[in-house]
């Protein structure tokens, strides 16, 4: 704006004082104004909060780092997404603005940066008395954040860094590192000191995230099958389809790692659809009745379930390959149950098409019998740790819980069956389906087909 004004004045002066060669000086002045605008970070504030936006903060950080060691104190609002849906986007923005005002006033020597998703970073060239900063912010967090018509109660997690970054990459990814650290701080309910190992973790996440994108693009996500044994049918009646990722650069990536990364980056939706499409292609070539199975189990991530069009997309894919949706049992973990409305829509559509729903990993979270019964689950999968706890004698609740579910007509699948004793005991408790290394580990398609052909059911025994 200022630069344009100077140029206009320049033209007017030229019109009235044509003999004098003044235009170049006005051009110079305009350029200088642009230059100072770039030097003044206030122009690049995050519009939502009034703090420095993290995009502009990277060049700032680079300069700070070149000067020597610096201090960073990161503050992450806990359960940020849940708080947003609870208070609403507008109220939340007011809260973030109030936090920015407080941070600026309380720590005038620091640069306050807003690094998205409820994360703030205080940067300073001085060595910060971290415990004092932590105590002060934490004490303030006990009180609500008040802005016009907004009154928000929030809690936060903290991470800190002191030192100098060695590599250019460290600077570019610094705000990703703080995000990873704050995630960990929230999980561990503790302040995290950002050390090299954490930087390595963040770098690994970035490389895994790129590998996932490559696999999605090149249609390279693989599927494995872990057999499911029916205790009444006394034979293999299905399989859980599990995603596998083999990257040219990184090699085999552990599923718990890439699933978590894909969930955080949002690519789990595309990954999940690719897994589902491959499962459909498998069934197209090997119809269930031909291979003697009743259904295939498929995992749906809670992140996928947030999309109210998820079921529609899955039905379209199945239809395209002429595979009926009732060939599938969809496994949903309990963390998906918090998005009740959208989940209900998805569940209704899948059930209307004949699919069956199963609650995955029961016993690892907070779900109880009554909460589960509110949803149309035909099956509950007991998590392996929960099953194991019974055999370790650390939790005797297992038979009562199985009985409880069965009295409401919900069948039980038990995971992590590793020996005959486990299978026998759980059969007497009334479990309907078993999954575990005692039967088979997850197998690639060819081995799974071979397994189905060669492992004949024997009445009274399992698969041996
Ligand atoms: O069996 P395995 O070690 O692959 O499983 C690791 C975790 O990854 C399990 O919790 C499993 O539910 C999850 N997982 C495996 N494949 C998929 C998938 O296709 N989609 C989703 N959402 N989760 C999967
Ligand atoms: O969480 P979910 O149930 O979707 O994932 C199943 C996971 O459990 C897979 O990672 C699979 O490899 C693993 N798994 C299946 N059976 C067994 C078992 O008997 N023992 C152990 N240790 N892991 C198992
Ligand atoms: Mn599962």
């Amino acid at each position: 704006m200022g630069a344009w004004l100077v140029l206009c004045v320049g033209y007017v002066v030229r019109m009235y004082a044509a003999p004098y060669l003044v235009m170049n000086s006005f051009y110079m002045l305009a350029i200088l104004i642009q230059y100072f605008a770039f030097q003044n970070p206030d122009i690049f504030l995050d519009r939502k909060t009034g703090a420095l936006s993290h995009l502009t903060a990277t060049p700032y950080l680079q300069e700070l780092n070149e000067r020597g060691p610096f201090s960073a104190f990161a503050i992450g609002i806990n359960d940020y997404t849940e708080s947003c849906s609870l208070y609403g986007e507008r109220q939340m923005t007011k809260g973030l603005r109030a936090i920015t005002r407080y941070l600026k006033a309380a720590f005038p020597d620091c640069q306050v940066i807003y690094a998205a998703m409820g994360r703030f970073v205080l940067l300073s060239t001085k060595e910060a008395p971290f415990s004092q900063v932590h105590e002060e912010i934490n004490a303030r967090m006990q009180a609500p954040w008040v802005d016009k018509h907004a009154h928000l109660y929030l809690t936060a997690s903290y991470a800190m860094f002191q030192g100098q970054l060695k590599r250019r990459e460290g600077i570019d990814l610094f705000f990703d590192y703080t995000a990873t650290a704050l995630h960990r701080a929230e999980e561990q309910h503790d302040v995290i000191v950002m050390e090299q190992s954490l930087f390595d973790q963040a770098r690994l996440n970035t490389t895994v995230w790129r590998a996932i994108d490559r696999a999605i693009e090149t249609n390279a996500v693989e599927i494995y099958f872990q057999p499911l044994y029916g205790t009444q049918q006394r034979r293999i009646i299905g399989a859980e389809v599990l995603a596998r990722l083999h990257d040219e650069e990184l090699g085999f990536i552990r599923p718990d790692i890439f699933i978590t990364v894909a969930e955080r980056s949002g690519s789990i939706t595309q990954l999940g659809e690719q897994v589902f499409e491959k499962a459909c292609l498998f069934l197209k070539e090997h119809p269930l009745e031909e291979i003697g199975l009743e259904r295939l189990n498929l995992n749906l991530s809670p992140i996928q379930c947030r999309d109210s069009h998820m079921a529609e997309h899955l039905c379209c894919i199945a239809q395209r390959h002429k595979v009926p949706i009732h060939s599938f049992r969809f496994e949903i973990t309990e963390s998906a149950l918090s998005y009740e409305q959208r989940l209900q829509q998805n569940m209704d559509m899948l059930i209307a098409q004949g699919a069956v729903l199963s609650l995955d990993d029961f016993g690892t979270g907070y779900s109880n019998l009554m909460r589960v019964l509110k949803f149309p689950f035909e099956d509950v999968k007991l998590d392996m740790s929960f099953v194991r706890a019974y055999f370790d004698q650390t939790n005797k609740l297992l038979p009562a819980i199985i009985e409880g579910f069965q009295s409401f007509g919900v069948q039980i699948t038990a995971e992590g069956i590793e020996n005959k004793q486990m299978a026998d005991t759980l059969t007497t408790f009334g479990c309907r389906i078993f999954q575990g290394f005692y039967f088979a580990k997850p197998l690639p398609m060819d081995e799974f087909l071979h397994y189905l052909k060669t492992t004949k059911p024997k009445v009274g025994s399992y698969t041996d």
Side-chain angles (χ1 to χ4, degrees):
M1 229 359 241
W4 284 112
L5 203 65
V6 166
L7 286 179
C8 287
V9 173
Y11 279 114
V12 175
V13 171
R14 191 167 69 171
M15 274 166 63
Y16 290 98
Y20 302 100
L21 294 173
V22 288
M23 203 54 205
N24 270 353
S25 312
F26 281 99
Y27 279 135
M28 272 305 292
L29 200 56
I31 289 166
L32 269 176
I33 286 175
Q34 284 293 22
Y35 173 75
F36 282 118
F38 270 106
Q39 288 293 300
N40 178 5
D42 278 354
I43 289 174
F44 297 98
L45 296 183
D46 178 73
R47 288 172 79 190
K48 197 158 151 181
T49 57
L52 197 67
S53 87
H54 83 287
L55 288 176
T56 357
T58 304
Y60 178 83
L61 180 69
Q62 187 179 358
E63 215 174 298
L64 199 67
N65 192 53
E66 273 164 18
R67 277 191 237 159
F70 68 93
S71 310
F73 191 84
I75 306 134
I77 306 298
N78 292 337
D79 304 315
Y80 178 72
T81 354
E82 285 77 8
S83 302
C84 278
S85 57
L86 183 69
Y87 289 118
E89 196 75 35
R90 275 186 55 175
Q91 296 287 85
M92 203 62 187
T93 302
K94 286 179 186 164
L96 294 178
R97 218 174 277 148
I99 294 176
T100 309
R101 273 201 306 275
Y102 158 75
L103 291 174
K104 280 183 172 173
F107 306 99
D109 292 342
C110 294
Q111 187 63 255
V112 181
I113 287 154
Y114 182 65
M117 301 295 285
R119 294 190 299 270
F120 292 88
V121 182
L122 299 177
L123 286 179
S124 167
T125 44
K126 297 195 184 121
E127 201 162 310
F130 282 134
S131 57
Q132 222 173 309
V133 175
H134 172 225
E135 258 172 48
E136 197 169 329
I137 301 177
N138 208 26
R140 175 61 189 85
M141 277 285 167
Q142 309 301 319
W145 296 94
V146 183
D147 197 303
K148 266 179 244 140
H149 314 298
H151 206 85
L152 289 83
Y153 287 89
L154 301 168
T155 60
S157 300
Y158 309 96
M160 55 183 80
F161 174 82
Q162 168 75 49
Q164 198 171 7
L165 300 167
K166 302 266 173 340
R167 283 184 272 195
R168 169 78 225 189
E169 190 191 3
I171 297 164
D172 289 342
L173 294 175
F174 187 75
F175 295 102
D176 290 348
Y177 296 155
T178 53
T180 311
L182 288 172
H183 246 293
R184 203 180 286 181
E186 189 172 347
E187 267 168 20
Q188 297 178 4
H189 306 288
D190 202 1
V191 178
I192 297 286
V193 178
M194 293 166 66
E195 285 165 357
Q196 200 54 46
S197 65
L198 189 92
F199 287 36
D200 293 343
Q201 177 64 39
R203 199 159 51 232
L204 176 72
N205 282 355
T206 317
T207 48
V208 169
W209 167 61
R210 293 204 183 110
I212 295 169
D213 277 0
R214 271 198 296 274
I216 291 174
E217 240 168 68
T218 56
N219 197 28
V221 180
E222 291 176 51
I223 56 170
Y224 274 44
F225 302 80
Q226 187 173 28
L228 297 171
Y229 176 87
T231 56
Q232 293 188 317
Q233 301 85 341
R234 297 184 174 191
R235 63 181 176 85
I236 299 299
I237 55 161
E240 177 174 4
V241 176
L242 293 155
R244 292 291 182 265
L245 203 58
H246 196 272
D247 185 67
E248 274 182 19
E249 266 173 49
L250 301 177
F252 182 77
I253 307 172
R254 272 179 33 202
D256 53 335
I257 293 180
F258 77 76
I259 294 290
T260 314
V261 173
E263 283 178 336
R264 289 207 183 138
S265 74
S267 49
I268 190 74
T269 302
Q270 287 161 286
L271 190 144
E273 284 182 5
Q274 194 168 120
V275 166
F276 182 66
E277 177 144 37
K278 294 205 167 166
C280 288
L281 287 169
F282 170 80
L283 286 184
K284 197 171 168 183
E285 209 173 320
H286 308 280
L288 285 173
E289 54 280 11
E290 229 170 73
I291 51 176
L293 301 184
E294 294 176 4
R295 286 180 198 270
L296 279 187
N297 282 28
L298 225 116
N299 292 288
L300 294 180
S301 155
I303 308 290
Q304 278 176 280
C305 298
R306 282 175 169 213
D307 176 2
S308 41
H309 299 294
M310 175 189 72
E312 214 175 297
H313 289 163
L314 297 181
C315 290
C316 273
I317 294 171
Q319 216 166 18
R320 195 161 66 234
H321 297 294
K322 302 193 172 58
V323 173
I325 284 279
H326 64 242
S327 316
F328 296 99
R329 179 184 290 113
F330 292 101
E331 298 185 9
I332 299 170
T333 51
E334 69 168 57
S335 47
L337 305 186
S338 23
Y339 330 113
E340 276 187 37
Q341 208 182 353
R342 280 179 263 180
L343 180 67
Q344 198 70 49
Q345 255 172 286
N346 281 317
M347 284 177 153
D348 289 348
M349 183 160 187
L350 292 173
I351 290 175
Q353 307 265 335
V356 168
L357 303 182
S358 173
L359 180 71
D360 203 2
D361 299 340
F362 182 85
T364 53
Y366 304 103
S367 273
N368 58 40
L369 195 101
M370 295 321 286
R371 184 163 148 77
V372 175
L373 292 175
K374 274 176 56 188
F375 295 91
F377 290 115
E378 195 179 296
D379 177 280
V380 166
K381 264 185 109 168
L382 305 177
D383 189 72
M384 170 153 67
S385 58
F386 192 60
V387 173
R388 220 168 272 168
Y390 176 80
F391 291 94
D392 287 351
Q393 319 239 328
T394 48
N395 186 351
K396 285 279 167 202
L397 274 176
L398 195 75
I401 286 183
I402 296 173
E403 202 183 321
F405 276 120
Q406 282 172 339
S407 65
F408 286 95
V410 177
Q411 75 168 22
I412 300 289
T413 298
E415 271 188 310
I417 307 299
E418 293 186 345
N419 53 53
K420 190 166 186 311
Q421 185 222 342
M422 286 174 95
D424 285 339
T425 313
L426 291 167
T427 305
T428 62
F429 292 164
C431 287
R432 291 290 172 83
I433 301 176
F434 288 152
Q435 177 175 1
F437 295 167
Y438 178 55
F439 301 99
K441 58 183 201 310
L443 303 167
M445 187 179 79
D446 292 342
E447 283 179 40
F448 174 58
L449 289 169
H450 180 74
Y451 175 90
L452 288 180
K453 271 191 207 132
T454 52
T455 321
K456 291 275 176 276
K458 277 188 196 157
V459 176
S461 73
Y462 295 97
T463 56
D464 46 346

